[in-house]
Amino acid sequence: MANNRSQKQANKPHDVSTVKKGNDFRDTVAALLRTAYDQVEIEKIVNGKSVDILYQSRQLGKYSTIAVECKNYSKPITAQKFSNEIWPEYEQLLQ
């Protein structure tokens, strides 16, 4: 059975796991941010919540910590989905 599974996997070279896709997307966003910011970190815990990317931005002499969660949705999210599902999950980061 294991051999059959390996053969099926070999026949699907374009299938990439969602974890790999997500990690690749996160790493691409982090690489872009590193062109403008010095301290860009991936997979950090903030107030008990894991975030994909964390960096500091300095504007007018004041530092702000920015958390980035990378999502690769197949279509744009609606304001309702953001308000009802995404915002409540990440609101704790502002505390």
Side-chain angles (χ1 to χ4, degrees):
M1 181 180 274
N3 191 16
N4 190 18
R5 186 180 341 164
S6 296
Q7 185 177 8
K8 285 182 181 180
Q9 289 174 345
N11 291 337
K12 296 182 179 182
H14 300 294
D15 287 350
V16 179
S17 76
T18 56
V19 171
K20 178 160 175 26
K21 280 183 183 180
N23 288 345
D24 289 348
F25 184 57
R26 177 207 60 213
D27 294 345
T28 299
V29 172
L32 289 170
L33 287 169
R34 285 186 182 110
T35 65
Y37 303 99
D38 293 329
Q39 295 180 339
V40 177
E41 302 175 279
I42 61 170
E43 298 298 328
K44 300 299 288 185
I45 303 293
V46 179
N47 292 344
K49 177 74 178 158
S50 175
V51 296
D52 287 336
I53 301 170
L54 192 70
Y55 70 97
Q56 286 193 341
S57 172
R58 182 176 178 212
Q59 294 180 349
L60 302 174
K62 182 179 178 184
Y63 284 95
S64 297
T65 300
I66 312 295
V68 178
E69 189 65 18
C70 300
K71 299 293 183 199
N72 192 8
Y73 292 118
S74 60
K75 59 184 179 179
I77 60 170
T78 63
Q80 182 177 7
K81 180 176 177 73
F82 180 82
S83 296
N84 295 339
E85 298 176 29
I86 297 172
W87 176 252
E89 187 175 344
Y90 293 94
E91 183 178 17
Q92 67 187 351
L93 298 176
L94 297 176
Q95 299 174 355

